Amino acid sequence: MLKNWIRIFLYQIRNNRFFTALNILGLSIGIAGLIFSILYWNDEHAYNAWNPEKDNTFQVISDLGEGMMWAATTEPMGRLLKNEPEVETYCYTQDSYDGNIIIYKGRKEIIEKIYSAQSTFFSFFPFHFIKGNAKSALDKELYCAISEKTAQRLFGNENPMGKSLIYGEKTIVVNGVYNIPGKSSVAPEIVVNNISPYLEENRDSWNNFNFNLFLKLKNPDDAPAVERKMYKLFYTYRMLPDAKQQGMTIDDYIKKNGKSLSYLEPLATARLHSRSNSYPEGQGNFQFLMIMVGLSVLILILSIANYVNLATANALKRAKEVGIRKIIGASRANIVYQFVFETVLTTLFAILLSLVIVEIALPYYNAFLQKELVIHSSQFYLELVIIFAVVVAIAGIFPAIYVSRFETLKVLKGNFGRSKSGIWLRNGMLVFQFAIASFFMIGSYIVYEQINYLANKDLGFKGNQILKIAYRNPYNFREEGIKVRLLERYTTIRRELLKIDGIDQVGTGSFSLGSNSSFSSSSFEYHGQTIQSQNMGVDFSMLNMLGVTIVKGRNLSEKFATDSINSVLVNETAAKMMHEKNVVGKVIPWNDKQLTIVGIVKDFHNAGPQDAIPPMVFFNYKTVDWMIFNTHHIYVKVNPKHIEKTILAIEKFWGKNVDADYPFEYDFLDKSYARTYEAYTNQKNLFSLLNVVVIMIALFGLFALASYSIERRMKEIAIRKTLGAETQVLLKSLSKQYIIFCIIGFAAAIFPVYFLLDKWLQNFAYRIDITFLPFGIGFFALMLLTLIVVLSRAYQATQVEVLKYLKYE
């Protein structure tokens, strides 16, 4: 029986090569899209899955108001919570990796992922220890544990245990070697017990949110209770004393400053659902992941609908075959099994082709996502089997049941072609295809318009021909006069850079344009209004070099002695929040200083054009000297005529006079800034690519279905031509139903595309409005493509010899 089914299947393929190829190709593209999404899904959900402590481990997130959620808290919090019955232990860590030089026996190696933590770190992240053990690896100050790969890099075949390494100006001792069992939100190359001195400096301070805090709870269900206790501690030790100091009641203090709230964020969901992008290995984009999965599922549904449509249409050609098989004894179940078997073979071919597509395209997909995805895992193959089963069940059963219900006498008499059986299913599927195609056409245009709006938005500064050079500030916090030394070091570098031909300007600031990762924030009070602003330390040339406009007052200048003592600038957002007609000349209290506003800076985008512009306060480095510690980039404006020569000269100077141990790293500011919305640009590119795929699949199905439909009406066409019908009348008659289906499908897509794209646009502080234009263009494009496909096929039908179809009557 199987042999007979295979022979019939091969016979059908030979007789319908083109349409079979379209069917398999459409199905394989849909499956390939879903495979790509599954690989991405599996990779993102693999983070911390190996960690047995993931459900009990929580990171403390502090709500600082104005929408700022920081994964940082105060030094006393962990010590006081340790005594609570719900808490098993705690661990303070630094907030990011420290890239630095490690020296062993005079040989220098740059290690990018050095992580400072307390001795309990490995009880939260139980890496597998090859040498030493997790409990004692960090039990002494300046003990460290290193990854197996780092051990091989530093020591080769030597036993690393007990070896001393030079880290900055300190000597650290290797007391353990580990490897990480899987993807982890914290995956350091070296973990060093080096955070205690900084904790001691902030001991009992309830206003300095400087440290990451991990808590391990005995029962994860106790997290809400611990959050309440954290609030109680802040209430007792921070809010009440501050209210008393300011001479107000606690209710008035809360009304003015808000509550000091903290949240416990579980490690298990941190990768995709963190409120603060605080883990060193970064945060996944859950929205983008769901967009990928949702769109790939839509495309697979479209492919299956296309398959069902073509299968039911093709079944008309096989009506006599089914009738004869019934006459010789085949049951309905037997016919169902046969057609499901053919679907199984078709789906197998489609899956094999989809795997080939994935294998070929995977390097480009990895580059697109900046990942290293592979298709080899037991989980993936299980999901592939599920995809196979779902496709066969949906794409195989509907056509099989439809075919098995053919009435034997009708099909043997030859008048089954005039039956309306199955037409409702094909028409419904076609409308559904038009709806999906409309969704992608309109959606891709809206996404394109939004990203184009961001790319062309006035940023408030000019970044063209400006180099953003990575700058390391080697320092020891405790070294006497270190702030003065660092400022003098930068001043010397700036002076020497300006001597290089082709350099027009040099400047720096305690922030990184295009990033929120390095900003600091403080609040000041003005007329009862508390303003949480970003601290923008600058030298005197920075704002001028960036072309930032001073809308009122003047810029900071070295010509005025007070500008390095107590003068500040505020941006327009901060000025508006002060509710003062003219803030120039006003004095604001900032920490322990009284600062005079000398100018208002036109708002500019620091983090990215998709984010709201926060209030900013600008100081010169000498006014707030500790801001020099936050300087991580030097900005150099170069003459475009000699740009390559100038960059080579800067690199030579840098390696000789600034940082010989680290490679010279630079980027053009405008290109670096464009990467702040790169994730959304990727979404635009994804939408555009999938739009092409969807239209291609839909047109495949439309062409094949139109061909089958017109072929069924060839006798009608022949008769009408004989009676004198003109070609344009026939074309109108043959295409009318597809125009109606196109309109219905487009109408069905209007609300979903508006609702979902409006939700997507809510990610942006600055966004376009959804107008009629995308819908008009989408409808015109869809209708045009539909008419091109249908009319081209219909025109061919009107040019046939009528006798060929009339001689059988």
Side-chain angles (χ1 to χ4, degrees):
M1 181 175 65
L2 283 178
K3 184 178 179 181
N4 184 41
W5 287 355
I6 292 172
R7 290 176 63 185
I8 294 172
F9 177 67
L10 295 175
Y11 173 80
Q12 291 298 326
I13 289 178
R14 284 196 300 270
N15 283 356
N16 299 280
R17 291 185 183 92
F18 180 68
F19 296 119
T20 302
L22 289 183
N23 226 345
I24 292 176
L25 181 61
L27 205 54
S28 64
I29 291 174
I31 294 172
L34 190 56
I35 289 174
F36 280 127
S37 296
I38 287 172
L39 292 175
Y40 183 24
W41 177 278
N42 289 347
D43 183 79
E44 289 296 324
H45 284 82
Y47 277 86
N48 307 310
W50 60 272
N51 191 336
E53 303 297 334
K54 63 182 181 296
D55 294 317
N56 292 65
T57 295
F58 295 82
Q59 187 179 44
V60 175
I61 306 292
S62 298
D63 185 353
L64 300 182
E66 303 294 336
M68 288 191 293
M69 305 291 286
W70 277 13
T73 190
T74 59
E75 185 278 336
M77 182 62 72
R79 288 188 290 108
L80 297 180
L81 285 175
K82 186 182 179 181
N83 301 321
E84 299 297 334
E86 298 90 348
V87 178
E88 182 177 329
T89 187
Y90 73 98
C91 179
Y92 277 108
T93 71
Q94 68 184 80
D95 60 352
S96 61
Y97 296 134
D98 173 31
N100 213 320
I101 295 171
I102 297 294
I103 304 174
Y104 175 63
K105 292 183 177 179
R107 182 168 56 85
K108 298 179 180 179
E109 290 284 348
I110 299 173
I111 306 297
E112 297 292 346
K113 297 182 178 182
I114 304 173
Y115 199 60
S116 293
Q118 290 185 301
S119 60
T120 53
F121 173 79
F122 291 111
S123 67
F124 292 83
F125 295 89
F127 301 156
H128 173 65
F129 270 76
I130 301 167
K131 295 182 183 294
N133 63 79
K135 290 184 179 180
S136 62
L138 302 177
D139 62 355
K140 292 184 181 178
E141 181 81 12
L142 297 180
Y143 268 20
C144 72
I146 62 179
S147 70
E148 186 179 17
K149 189 178 291 185
T150 304
Q152 182 65 34
R153 180 179 167 189
L154 292 174
F155 301 104
N157 295 324
E158 290 185 62
N159 182 4
M161 296 296 288
K163 296 290 195 303
S164 296
L165 302 171
I166 304 300
Y167 168 41
E169 298 181 1
K170 299 176 182 178
T171 299
I172 59 177
V173 179
V174 178
N175 198 38
V177 179
Y178 60 82
N179 61 39
I180 304 175
K183 290 182 176 292
S184 177
S185 291
V186 182
E189 297 172 278
I190 297 178
V191 184
V192 58
N193 185 344
N194 188 36
I195 200 170
S196 297
Y198 310 115
L199 289 168
E200 191 61 33
E201 286 181 0
N202 290 271
R203 189 174 182 84
D204 298 323
S205 171
W206 285 93
N207 288 304
N208 292 336
F209 290 75
N210 294 331
F211 307 101
N212 280 20
L213 175 61
F214 288 101
L215 297 177
K216 185 189 290 186
L217 304 188
K218 296 172 184 176
N219 184 347
D221 294 335
D222 291 333
V226 176
E227 288 176 349
R228 289 191 292 271
K229 291 184 177 182
M230 286 192 292
Y231 174 71
K232 187 176 180 180
L233 288 171
F234 272 125
Y235 185 88
T236 303
Y237 294 103
R238 184 173 190 255
M239 297 163 65
L240 281 176
D242 284 358
K244 184 177 180 181
Q245 184 180 5
Q246 296 176 31
M248 59 177 65
T249 65
I250 188 63
D251 291 335
D252 290 337
Y253 177 88
I254 292 174
K255 185 177 181 180
K256 175 184 174 184
N257 300 291
K259 296 180 178 180
S260 297
L261 297 175
S262 296
Y263 304 95
L264 292 184
E265 190 171 81
L267 178 63
T269 58
R271 174 67 182 179
L272 291 171
H273 302 286
S274 177
R275 305 185 203 197
S276 171
N277 185 11
S278 57
Y279 284 91
E281 292 297 317
Q283 184 177 0
N285 190 330
F286 182 70
Q287 185 192 59
F288 184 51
L289 175 61
M290 294 308 297
I291 288 173
M292 283 279 292
V293 172
L295 296 184
S296 62
V297 168
L298 264 183
I299 291 177
L300 181 60
I301 293 172
L302 177 68
S303 301
I304 293 174
N306 195 47
Y307 181 91
V308 172
N309 236 344
L310 294 178
T312 54
N314 190 40
L316 297 176
K317 285 188 171 184
R318 302 182 65 178
K320 288 187 178 180
E321 172 198 334
V322 173
I324 292 171
R325 292 181 69 85
K326 283 189 172 184
I327 289 293
I328 61 176
S331 64
R332 282 185 59 184
N334 185 267
I335 292 171
V336 168
Y337 294 152
Q338 177 190 349
F339 279 83
V340 170
F341 175 73
E342 291 182 5
T343 303
V344 167
L345 295 180
T346 303
T347 306
L348 282 175
F349 287 141
I351 286 179
L352 290 174
L353 181 57
S354 69
L355 290 173
V356 172
I357 293 172
V358 170
E359 190 67 38
I360 293 172
L362 194 56
Y364 304 100
Y365 187 62
N366 279 330
F368 172 71
L369 293 176
Q370 298 181 346
K371 286 182 171 291
E372 296 179 2
L373 304 178
V374 293
I375 61 174
H376 308 295
S377 75
S378 57
Q379 182 183 13
F380 167 74
Y381 289 115
L382 175 62
E383 290 160 340
L384 199 60
V385 170
I386 294 172
I387 292 173
F388 170 77
V390 170
V391 171
V392 169
I394 299 174
I397 291 176
F398 280 119
I401 293 176
Y402 168 63
V403 170
S404 69
R405 296 179 64 183
F406 286 172
E407 296 180 29
T408 307
L409 290 178
K410 280 189 177 182
V411 298
L412 292 180
K413 286 180 179 179
N415 63 354
F416 186 76
R418 289 183 287 273
S419 170
K420 297 191 180 295
S421 178
I423 292 178
W424 66 270
L425 178 61
R426 290 195 300 277
N427 291 347
M429 290 289 185
L430 188 58
V431 168
F432 183 67
Q433 287 177 306
F434 278 127
I436 293 178
S438 300
F439 177 89
F440 277 89
M441 281 184 169
I442 300 168
S444 62
Y445 187 87
I446 293 173
V447 171
Y448 170 81
E449 284 291 293
Q450 174 63 25
I451 302 306
N452 190 54
Y453 170 75
L454 293 181
N456 293 288
K457 189 178 188 300
D458 180 15
L459 301 175
F461 69 90
K462 297 173 183 176
N464 55 311
Q465 307 306 327
I466 294 179
L467 300 180
K468 179 181 178 182
I469 303 173
Y471 175 62
R472 292 179 62 254
N473 246 332
Y475 58 83
N476 182 339
F477 281 114
R478 293 179 179 77
E479 185 179 333
E480 187 175 349
I482 185 62
K483 298 171 187 174
V484 175
R485 280 185 53 198
L486 290 180
L487 186 54
E488 289 176 349
R489 178 175 184 260
Y490 163 70
T491 303
T492 302
I493 292 171
R494 179 178 182 274
R495 183 174 61 247
E496 294 301 315
L497 283 171
L498 286 170
K499 294 178 182 178
I500 298 175
D501 288 339
I503 293 182
D504 295 333
Q505 291 177 285
V506 178
T508 192
S510 62
F511 51 91
S512 176
L513 283 165
S515 172
N516 257 333
S517 60
S518 58
F519 82 86
S520 69
S521 177
S522 299
S523 64
F524 67 91
E525 185 179 322
Y526 189 80
H527 288 182
Q529 177 75 25
T530 299
I531 300 170
Q532 189 77 30
S533 63
Q534 286 191 10
N535 301 323
M536 314 291 281
V538 293
D539 68 358
F540 287 120
S541 59
M542 181 67 173
L543 297 180
N544 184 49
M545 183 185 68
L546 292 174
V548 173
T549 304
I550 306 298
V551 294
K552 275 189 181 181
R554 61 174 176 83
N555 199 349
L556 296 173
S557 172
E558 55 192 341
K559 295 178 182 178
F560 299 91
T562 54
D563 283 5
S564 57
I565 301 172
N566 62 358
S567 296
V568 296
L569 304 171
V570 296
N571 70 342
E572 290 176 304
T573 299
K576 289 175 185 175
M577 295 175 69
M578 292 172 68
H579 302 296
E580 185 80 52
K581 187 174 182 180
N582 184 8
V583 300
V584 175
K586 305 302 180 183
V587 176
I588 59 173
W590 190 88
N591 290 351
D592 57 347
K593 296 176 180 289
Q594 296 292 314
L595 303 175
T596 302
I597 299 173
V598 298
I600 301 175
V601 175
K602 182 179 176 61
D603 278 343
F604 67 88
H605 291 271
N606 176 30
Q610 72 276 11
D611 296 327
I613 298 174
M616 300 177 185
V617 178
F618 299 83
F619 317 83
N620 181 256
Y621 280 126
K622 292 181 180 179
T623 304
V624 184
D625 54 6
W626 59 261
M627 283 193 182
I628 193 68
F629 293 135
N630 291 345
T631 301
H632 303 298
H633 294 90
I634 291 178
Y635 298 87
V636 177
K637 186 161 188 175
V638 296
N639 190 315
K641 295 181 180 178
H642 312 287
I643 196 162
E644 292 184 7
K645 183 179 177 181
T646 303
I647 291 174
L648 288 174
I650 296 172
E651 184 174 6
K652 184 178 179 181
F653 165 78
W654 205 268
K656 183 178 179 180
N657 301 287
V658 180
D659 203 337
D661 295 319
Y662 273 76
F664 175 68
E665 296 178 0
Y666 76 94
D667 200 356
F668 285 96
L669 179 57
D670 50 357
K671 293 181 180 178
S672 170
Y673 201 84
R675 285 192 284 273
T676 62
Y677 54 93
E678 186 176 25
Y680 297 109
T681 303
N682 287 342
Q683 291 180 26
K684 180 200 74 171
N685 295 335
L686 174 68
F687 230 118
S688 300
L689 175 63
L690 295 184
N691 187 35
V692 173
V693 171
V694 165
I695 292 173
M696 186 171 63
I697 294 174
L699 291 182
F700 283 170
L702 179 62
F703 179 78
L705 194 60
S707 297
Y708 280 125
S709 176
I710 291 170
E711 190 172 327
R712 290 176 55 214
R713 299 179 63 181
M714 287 308 296
K715 288 182 181 179
E716 174 195 338
I717 294 169
I719 293 171
R720 294 181 68 176
K721 285 196 68 176
T722 303
L723 295 176
E726 295 182 0
T727 299
Q728 62 185 24
V729 175
L730 292 174
L731 291 177
K732 181 179 178 181
S733 174
L734 293 171
S735 60
K736 182 172 64 175
Q737 63 172 330
Y738 296 102
I739 294 173
I740 294 172
F741 294 154
C742 177
I743 293 172
I744 295 172
F746 180 84
I750 290 176
F751 176 75
V753 74
Y754 182 89
F755 176 78
L756 293 174
L757 268 296
D758 187 66
K759 293 282 286 184
W760 180 77
L761 286 170
Q762 290 174 16
N763 291 303
F764 304 91
Y766 307 94
R767 50 164 285 183
I768 62 170
D769 293 322
I770 298 178
T771 63
F772 173 77
L773 185 62
F775 296 90
I777 292 175
F779 178 74
F780 175 78
L782 186 66
M783 185 63 72
L784 180 64
L785 291 172
T786 300
L787 289 175
I788 289 173
V789 171
V790 174
L791 290 179
S792 64
R793 185 65 188 91
Y795 181 78
Q796 291 176 357
T798 62
Q799 302 307 302
V800 298
E801 298 180 12
V802 295
L803 290 178
K804 178 181 177 182
Y805 292 92
L806 295 179
K807 62 184 178 180
Y808 296 106
E809 288 293 341

